């Protein structure tokens, strides 16, 4: 059973409850199991299992509502290997149980994840499944009783909070030495901070704090630190407690409380004040990373927006903290990306570029190298990037040390490539590592783990999932945008959760990949830049200068290389969508729904922004397919006159005004993705006051409260989705106030939950707290790090070599066991 550290007692396990259930409805259960095995060996998903269950119930409700119904509706999938059916049951987010049932006598037994995965492998690679020496990796095997784990599914994603409680009790039990050692080691560029080396015992430190506290009580709160610095030094205290007497007093009081009897509230407060993070390195390697003309290009979307906004927010927060700590250091943030000589009109061929609207943040571009040591000129798809990463990590590490004139305090990776490189760099430099996924590809493509071989030539998932496993496990903390990203919902496993136990037959079985009850998981949702995405109602701020351009972009009648199609009836509201033209974004799906729904076509026009219009201009495999599909749908449904397809737009400021111009038509934003990790366009649209319909698959389902701050749509049911949109516009026709209500309620949701300031505070607290935790948990970590290092060396490196470099012919992927 997974995760929850024993939340479900053994006696509550489904396998144990089975005999009792059998007594209740043996006949029906037998029939149901006969149906399952009648189809032979196969992998069955929940809908199929439920369907067979209902059929075997003969319309009788009892069985579906009884115990078996409960088991099947909690089952994620089942492996049928007659006469057995093996269930992967998920009773709650993060909690899994694997059960093997004999279809004839209905005996049931609990099996381990590894046993379950072996059954699954038989369907795909029998020989490998039955080989006792197939590669099985079990990161969980290295956890012992002292490894802290959350137990409540509702607490998943709240790791920081849990960790401060755990560390408080650990310090209370084992003594304050680890904290003292941590404080003694605090320094910046050779300058010791807070606690000088004379205070080398806890009692000496406590005495110094007492003296300082008494002394500070006699000073005015706003007395600057410089005025009493000499006194602090006499007691062995160094800079970093605060810029004023009041700030120092508060920090000292938190620490004194912690030293006396550690409690989570004071731990949190203290670690949010500790001067431990001044320089941060953020890796976002693939794609075109730049500040202009890059958005919408292949592989280039929200991640770039996220990082640039994140950097601004982090810099602001760092500056504030440094001031509060009474220090005069300059924070530094470096965004490490790839230098692409063939930059296609962007600045991606420029090595160093300051981040706009910041003072101390810089984009640093490091090239990929060819075998001959030359800079690789071309863009490389994120799926083909693996052979370049190790060298990239080495080269960027050297550059970072040069630019920062020392080590960073925190390294944060983004997406698989950035996270793998962050793991290598943080290991080499011995610094705290944070991980951000944005999207984990495994959940985007159904059965991409077991069917990895079929997809590997195109996507190289063998490398990607291996790299993801390494990064998730090495990282000190993981930043997720939503709960669902980690642990999904009652109905559906989360992105990280789906890496708990999985297998890639012929390659590697992950008996435990990552456990979502690990306190390294934290939710910190991003925001949208509110200077760009503001409500359409703020008339004085509107960018009216851009209106003629937007008018041309949306309403001119001619096709050109920027847009095709036109809008015959300007009086109709516009439904709008904007995304990279990837399959999973499902822009073509939206066009098809629109094409097929006459009522919707009568009510509104459709404007979509995405991709290129000419397939011969694209180098991206998926984009080319989608471009062709767009053209054929426009022809098939004769959409000209009702649709405008505009190519990818790279100007964020103008895009902000575009959302607002759509709101002027009393239109709506539609995000139809088959799966969306977070969905920045959703919060951009809502920030502009556009009522929003977004996919119920992924992050948007959490951003929007259905029917309150927007609407969820099911991307797998286009008819229902397009009718829902049509109903909305019908209702708005009858009651124009309804549109206003949805617009303001969407905005309210944003202001309450999605701002960059909240984000930055949380992330810096993570950097500080997990930095300390690393030092406390050194021994436990070491074994795991060794295991990971070996896995990297023996498995990842070999896989990366199977990915053709630019100009090479594809090599056959080999099993790397
Ligand atoms: N975007 C853009 N022009 C385009 C397509 C997208 O400016 O042609 C921007 C969009 O406004 C958003 C980001 O790219 O800021 C896409 O982020 P999202 O989270 O929606 O999806 P991703 O591309 O990251 O999967
Ligand atoms: C990547 C994605 O696919 C989106 O879902 C996110 O919104 C974006 O990154 C920013 O995190």
């Amino acid at each position: 059973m997974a995760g929850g550290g024993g939340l479900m007692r053994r006696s509550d396990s489904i396998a144990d409850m089975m005999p009792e259930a059998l007594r209740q409805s043996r006949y029906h259960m037998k029939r149901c199991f006969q149906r399952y095995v009648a189809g032979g060996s196969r992998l069955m998903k929940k809908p199929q299992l439920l369907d067979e269950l209902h059929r075997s119930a003969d319309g009788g409700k009892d069985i579906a509502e009884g115990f078996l119904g409960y088991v099947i509706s909690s089952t994620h999938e089942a492996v049928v290997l007659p006469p057995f059916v093996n269930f992967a049951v998920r009773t709650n987010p993060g909690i899994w149980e694997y059960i093997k049932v004999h279809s004839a006598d209905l005996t049931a037994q609990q099996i381990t994840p590894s046993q379950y995965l072996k059954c699954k492998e038989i369907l795909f690679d029998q020989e490998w499944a039955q080989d006792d020496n197939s590669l099985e990796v079990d990161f969980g095997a290295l956890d012992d009783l002292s490894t802290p784990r959350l137990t409540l599914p509702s607490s998943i994603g709240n790791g920081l909070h849990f960790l401060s409680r755990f560390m408080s009790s650990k310090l209370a039990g084992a003594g304050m030495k680890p904290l003292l050692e941590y404080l003694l080691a605090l320094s910046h560029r050779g300058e010791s901070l807070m606690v000088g080396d004379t205070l080398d015992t806890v009692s000496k430190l406590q005495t110094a704090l007492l003296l300082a506290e008494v002394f500070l009580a006699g000073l005015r709160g706003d007395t600057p630190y410089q005025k009493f610095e000499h006194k602090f030094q006499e007691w062995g205290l160094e800079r970093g407690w605060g810029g004023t007497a009041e700030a120092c007093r508060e920090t000292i009081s938190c620490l004194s409380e912690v030293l006396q009897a550690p409690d989570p509230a004071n731990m949190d407060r203290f670690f949010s004040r500790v001067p431990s993070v001044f320089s941060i390195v953020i890796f976002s390697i693939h794609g075109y990373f730049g500040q202009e003309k890059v958005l919408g290009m292949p592989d280039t979307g929200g991640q770039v927006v996220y990082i640039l906004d994140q950097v601004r927010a982090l810099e602001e927060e760092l500056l504030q903290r440094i001031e509060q700590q009474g220090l005069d250091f300059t924070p530094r943030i470096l965004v490490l990306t790839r230098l692409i000589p063939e930059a296609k009109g962007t600045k991606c061929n420029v090595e160093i570029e300051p981040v706009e609207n910041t003072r101390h943040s810089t984009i640093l571009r490091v090239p990929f190298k060819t075998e001959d040591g030359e800079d690789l000129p071309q863009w490389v798809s994120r799926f083909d990037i693996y052979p370049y990463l190790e060298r990239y990590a080495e080269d960027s590490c050297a550059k970072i040390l040069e630019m920062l004139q020392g080590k960073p305090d925190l390294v944060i990776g983004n997406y698989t490539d950035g996270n793998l490189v962050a793991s290598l760099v943080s290991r080499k430099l011995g610094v705290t590592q944070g991980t951000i996924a944005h999207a984990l590809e495994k959940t985007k493509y159904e059965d991409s783990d077991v069917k990895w071989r079929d997809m590997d030539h195109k996507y190289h998932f063998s490398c990607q999932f291996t790299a993801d496993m390494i990064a998730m496990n090495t990282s000190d903390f993981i930043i997720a945008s939503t709960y669902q990203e980690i642990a999904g919902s009652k109905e559906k496993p989360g992105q990280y959760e789906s890496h708990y136990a999985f297998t890639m037959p012929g390659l590697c079985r992950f008996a435990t990949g990552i456990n979502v009850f690990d306190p390294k998981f934290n939710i910190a949702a991003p925001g949208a830049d509110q200077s760009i995405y503001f409500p359409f109602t703020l008339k004085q701020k509107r960018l009216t200068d851009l209106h003629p351009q937007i008018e041309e972009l949306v309403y001119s009648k001619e096709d050109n290389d920027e847009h095709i199609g036109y809008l015959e009836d300007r009086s109709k509201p516009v439904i709008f969508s904007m995304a990279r033209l990837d399959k999973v974004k499902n822009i073509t799906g939206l066009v098809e729904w629109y094409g097929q729904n006459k009522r919707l076509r009568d009510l509104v026009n459709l404007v979509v922004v995405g991709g290129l219009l000419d397939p011969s201009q694209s180098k991206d495999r998926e984009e080319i397919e989608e471009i062709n599909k767009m053209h054929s749908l426009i022809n098939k449904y004769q959409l000209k006159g009702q649709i405008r397809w505009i190519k990818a737009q790279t100007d964020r400021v103008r895009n902000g005004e575009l959302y607002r111009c759509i709101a002027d038509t009393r239109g709506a934003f539609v995000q139809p993705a088959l799966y969306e990790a977070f969905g920045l366009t959703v919060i951009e649209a809502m920030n502009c006051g556009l009522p929003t319909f977004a996919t119920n698959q992924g992050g948007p389902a959490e951003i929007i409260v259905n029917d309150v701050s927007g609407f969820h749509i099911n991307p797998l049911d286009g008819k229902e989705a397009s009718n829902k949109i049509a109903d909305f516009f019908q209702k708005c026709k009858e009651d124009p106030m309804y549109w206003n209500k949805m617009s303001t309620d969407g905005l309210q949701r944003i202001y309450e939950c999605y701002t960059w300031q909240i984000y930055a505070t949380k992330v810096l607290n993570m950097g500080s707290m997990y930095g300390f935790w690393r030092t406390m948990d050194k021994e436990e970590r070491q074994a795991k790090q060794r295991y990971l290092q070996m896995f990297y060396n023996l498995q990842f490196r070999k896989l990366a070599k199977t990915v053709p470099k630019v100009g090479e012919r594809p090599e056959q992927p080999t099993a790397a066991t």
Side-chain angles (χ1 to χ4, degrees):
M1 193 196 310
L7 177 79
M8 211 192 225
R9 277 170 291 120
R10 227 195 111 58
S11 57
D12 298 335
S13 92
I14 285 176
D16 288 350
M17 284 150 75
M18 211 74 168
E20 173 55 29
L22 273 175
R23 262 196 294 281
Q24 290 168 16
S25 52
R26 188 170 188 90
Y27 169 74
H28 277 116
M29 273 173 88
K30 239 181 164 162
R31 273 182 55 151
C32 176
F33 275 90
Q34 267 155 16
R35 292 190 80 97
Y36 288 159
V37 291
S41 300
R42 59 190 165 144
L43 183 62
M44 292 179 78
K45 303 280 172 175
K46 190 196 302 199
Q48 236 181 323
L49 290 161
L50 280 172
D51 196 43
E52 298 277 8
L53 172 72
H54 289 297
R55 281 167 203 256
S56 65
D58 280 343
K61 275 190 174 169
D62 288 2
I63 178 143
E65 282 172 3
F67 177 75
L68 188 61
Y70 165 70
V71 174
I72 303 300
S73 51
S74 311
T75 295
H76 176 62
E77 60 174 29
V79 177
V80 182
L81 293 173
F84 292 102
V85 184
N86 303 277
F87 294 94
V89 185
R90 178 180 179 268
T91 44
N92 258 305
I95 307 223
W96 291 78
E97 190 183 352
Y98 300 91
I99 309 157
K100 181 174 191 156
V101 180
H102 193 291
S103 57
D105 61 20
L106 298 182
T107 47
Q109 87 187 84
Q110 202 178 53
I111 54 174
T112 62
S114 165
Q115 286 166 328
Y116 174 79
L117 294 174
K118 282 182 190 161
C119 295
K120 197 166 167 183
E121 286 154 10
I122 291 179
L123 304 175
F124 299 91
D125 188 339
Q126 187 159 3
E127 202 183 315
W128 195 81
Q130 288 168 345
D131 179 349
D132 287 342
N133 297 308
S134 295
L135 178 63
E136 176 168 308
V137 168
D138 186 357
F139 293 116
L142 296 153
D143 295 341
D144 58 26
L145 287 177
S146 66
T147 315
R149 289 284 175 265
L150 303 140
T151 52
L152 300 174
S154 57
S155 302
I156 293 173
N158 212 349
L160 200 58
H161 185 64
F162 173 84
L163 195 63
S164 65
R165 278 191 283 176
F166 179 81
M167 287 198 300
S168 307
S169 62
K170 196 161 171 170
L171 287 173
M176 292 299 152
K177 201 150 169 262
L179 181 56
L180 177 70
E181 278 169 6
Y182 170 81
L183 293 172
L184 281 167
L186 268 187
S187 68
H188 182 63
R189 307 278 174 263
E191 178 184 338
S192 163
L193 296 173
M194 284 188 128
V195 177
D197 11 307
T198 52
L199 301 178
D200 54 1
T201 66
V202 177
S203 64
K204 281 190 203 166
L205 175 60
Q206 279 175 311
T207 312
L209 295 181
L210 212 57
L211 286 169
E213 232 174 338
V214 173
F215 171 78
L216 290 171
L219 294 186
R220 272 176 54 127
D222 58 0
T223 314
Y225 180 76
Q226 288 71 20
K227 288 254 158 73
F228 52 88
E229 184 170 11
H230 60 286
K231 274 280 181 205
F232 265 48
Q233 275 172 348
E234 272 172 33
W235 299 318
L237 298 173
E238 304 289 349
R239 296 202 296 163
W241 295 93
T244 59
E246 177 58 17
C248 289
R249 210 192 46 72
E250 280 170 20
T251 315
I252 287 175
S253 133
C254 294
L255 181 60
S256 302
E257 292 280 354
V258 168
L259 292 175
Q260 172 177 267
D263 68 314
N266 278 305
M267 284 282 279
D268 283 346
R269 233 173 288 142
F270 180 66
F271 277 95
S272 70
R273 306 173 83 95
V274 162
S276 58
V277 180
F278 303 102
S279 55
I280 306 177
V281 167
I282 299 175
F283 283 100
S284 173
I285 302 171
H286 68 256
Y288 293 88
F289 190 104
Q291 304 187 75
E292 46 186 284
K293 301 199 186 131
V294 299
L295 288 178
M297 289 173 86
D299 284 358
T300 309
Q303 184 171 322
V304 175
V305 174
Y306 177 107
I307 289 163
L308 292 170
D309 287 351
Q310 173 200 37
V311 165
R312 289 182 195 108
L314 287 176
E315 183 182 298
E316 235 166 78
E317 182 71 20
L318 279 174
L319 284 167
Q320 256 181 41
R321 287 188 182 206
I322 292 172
E323 192 190 325
Q324 190 213 31
Q325 290 151 355
L327 298 170
D328 51 6
F329 304 146
T330 308
R332 288 302 304 272
I333 303 181
L334 290 183
V335 179
L336 262 286
T337 186
R338 190 206 137 201
L339 185 140
I340 312 174
E342 288 178 4
K344 298 247 157 109
T346 69
K347 286 199 184 147
C348 295
N349 52 354
V350 176
E351 187 190 21
I352 293 175
E353 191 189 342
V355 177
E356 284 159 20
N357 302 323
T358 66
R359 277 180 285 158
H360 312 289
S361 303
T362 312
I363 301 171
L364 171 61
R365 297 193 179 89
V366 175
F368 285 172
K369 292 286 183 188
T370 64
E371 294 295 327
D372 317 325
E374 305 288 326
D375 292 358
L376 181 76
Q378 304 90 333
W379 168 81
V380 180
S381 155
R382 71 187 193 279
F383 294 118
D384 303 335
I385 211 163
Y386 301 100
Y388 300 100
L389 295 181
E390 187 170 306
R391 171 77 194 264
Y392 182 85
E394 282 163 24
D395 294 348
S396 51
C397 198
K399 279 273 174 200
I400 292 165
L401 293 174
E402 185 188 316
M403 290 272 292
L404 297 180
Q405 294 179 333
K407 291 181 193 179
D409 302 307
L410 176 63
V411 169
I412 302 178
N414 288 273
Y415 195 75
T416 310
D417 47 358
N419 287 323
L420 185 79
V421 170
S423 303
L424 297 175
V425 170
S426 78
R427 187 178 80 206
K428 184 163 177 167
L429 301 180
V431 295
T432 315
Q433 179 196 355
T435 282
I436 299 173
H438 297 286
L440 291 164
E441 300 289 341
K442 188 166 109 54
T443 32
K444 280 196 197 166
Y445 301 81
E446 189 162 24
D447 293 329
S448 53
D449 44 10
V450 278
K451 294 185 180 156
W452 68 276
R453 268 189 214 279
D454 304 344
M455 304 185 197
D456 220 51
H457 63 289
K458 211 169 162 189
Y459 295 112
H460 305 297
F461 287 147
S462 56
C463 280
Q464 180 150 27
F465 302 167
T466 306
D468 282 336
M469 280 292 95
I470 294 170
M472 284 176 209
N473 279 287
T474 39
S475 192
D476 295 290
F477 62 94
I478 295 178
I479 305 167
S481 302
T482 55
Y483 180 91
Q484 73 74 37
E485 182 180 337
I486 312 172
S489 57
K490 183 92 184 72
E491 290 76 36
K492 204 173 169 231
Q495 289 190 62
Y496 282 101
E497 186 186 359
S498 82
H499 294 75
Y500 167 60
F502 70 101
T503 184
M504 301 175 82
L507 188 70
C508 184
R509 175 186 313 123
F510 292 95
T512 320
I514 187 82
N515 184 346
V516 293
F517 289 92
D518 192 314
K520 66 169 70 173
F521 284 100
N522 283 284
I523 301 166
D529 184 335
Q530 287 170 342
S531 67
I532 297 180
Y533 305 102
F534 55 82
F536 74 104
T537 45
L538 296 183
K539 292 272 179 270
Q540 71 292 359
K541 275 184 85 178
R542 293 288 298 267
L543 309 173
T544 44
D545 287 2
L546 297 175
H547 285 185
Q549 295 171 28
I550 292 175
E551 166 79 19
E552 196 285 330
L553 203 62
V554 179
Y555 288 112
S556 72
K557 288 273 156 75
E558 315 69 46
D559 288 355
N560 60 23
D561 59 5
E562 192 157 31
H563 49 71
I564 64 167
Y566 63 95
L567 306 178
E568 185 68 64
D569 180 356
R570 284 196 60 156
S571 67
K572 290 186 199 170
V574 169
I575 55 172
F576 175 53
S577 196
M578 173 162 70
R580 291 178 290 115
L581 215 52
D582 271 10
K583 220 181 238 156
V584 66
K585 293 289 180 190
N586 200 29
I587 294 289
T588 48
L590 172 63
V591 173
E592 183 144 39
W593 306 343
Y594 180 76
Q596 288 174 346
N597 192 325
K598 169 145 190 336
R599 194 160 64 97
L600 186 61
R601 287 173 68 163
D602 288 345
L603 283 163
V604 294
N605 289 315
L606 175 62
V607 173
V608 293
V609 169
L612 293 166
L613 309 179
D614 176 0
S616 69
Q617 283 178 9
S618 176
K619 278 198 195 153
D620 187 78
R621 296 178 285 250
E622 263 188 39
E623 191 178 70
I624 294 168
E625 278 173 34
E626 291 295 289
I627 297 171
N628 288 329
K629 198 163 164 201
M630 281 288 276
H631 286 291
S632 77
L633 288 171
I634 292 173
N635 287 337
K636 180 171 170 195
Y637 295 107
Q638 310 230 315
L639 291 175
K640 291 212 171 151
Q642 292 179 310
I643 191 174
R644 174 69 129 202
W645 173 19
I646 303 167
K647 80 169 191 188
Q649 292 298 304
T650 59
D651 182 342
R652 284 179 87 192
V653 173
R654 194 168 81 179
N655 288 349
E657 193 57 27
L658 177 58
Y659 282 112
R660 287 184 288 273
C661 289
I662 304 287
D664 292 336
T665 74
R666 302 181 72 77
F669 187 76
V670 184
Q671 213 287 14
L674 300 174
Y675 183 81
E676 184 64 58
F678 180 70
L680 285 177
T681 52
V682 173
I683 55 172
E684 290 166 2
M686 289 167 77
N687 262 294
C688 294
L690 251 184
T692 300
F693 292 79
T695 179
N696 62 7
Q697 302 295 309
E702 206 167 310
I703 302 173
I704 291 174
V705 181
N706 189 33
D707 280 341
V708 176
S709 40
F711 305 93
H712 295 167
I713 48 173
N714 178 0
L716 303 176
D717 189 343
K719 199 164 166 202
E720 184 198 74
S722 61
N723 276 327
K724 196 164 179 181
I725 305 171
D727 291 346
F728 169 76
F729 283 101
Q730 189 62 47
K731 195 163 168 185
C732 291
K733 246 184 163 174
E734 289 151 18
D735 172 14
M737 288 317 285
Y738 184 56
W739 190 93
N740 294 357
K741 179 174 162 24
M742 290 316 291
S743 166
T744 24
D745 290 354
L747 268 167
Q748 194 183 334
R749 172 84 180 152
I750 292 292
Y751 296 149
E752 279 167 12
C753 305
Y754 299 95
T755 80
W756 279 111
Q757 211 254 316
I758 304 175
Y759 174 96
T761 311
K762 281 193 187 170
V763 170
L764 287 187
N765 288 348
M766 289 177 214
S768 171
M769 188 79 100
Y770 288 91
F772 173 48
W773 173 236
R774 267 171 81 81
T775 64
M776 262 183 100
D777 143 73
K778 226 184 274 155
E779 279 85 46
E780 286 92 350
R781 288 171 59 85
Q782 210 161 32
K784 197 166 200 167
Q785 295 306 330
R786 285 286 181 199
Y787 189 68
L788 282 157
Q789 227 167 310
M790 185 164 72
F791 187 54
Y792 173 84
N793 197 300
L794 298 180
Q795 184 80 335
F796 179 79
R797 273 184 155 177
K798 202 185 269 177
L799 290 170
K801 285 201 184 110
T802 67
V803 179
K805 287 188 163 181
V806 175
E808 278 176 9
R809 284 183 356 126
E811 220 182 90
Q812 277 308 307
T814 49
T817 46

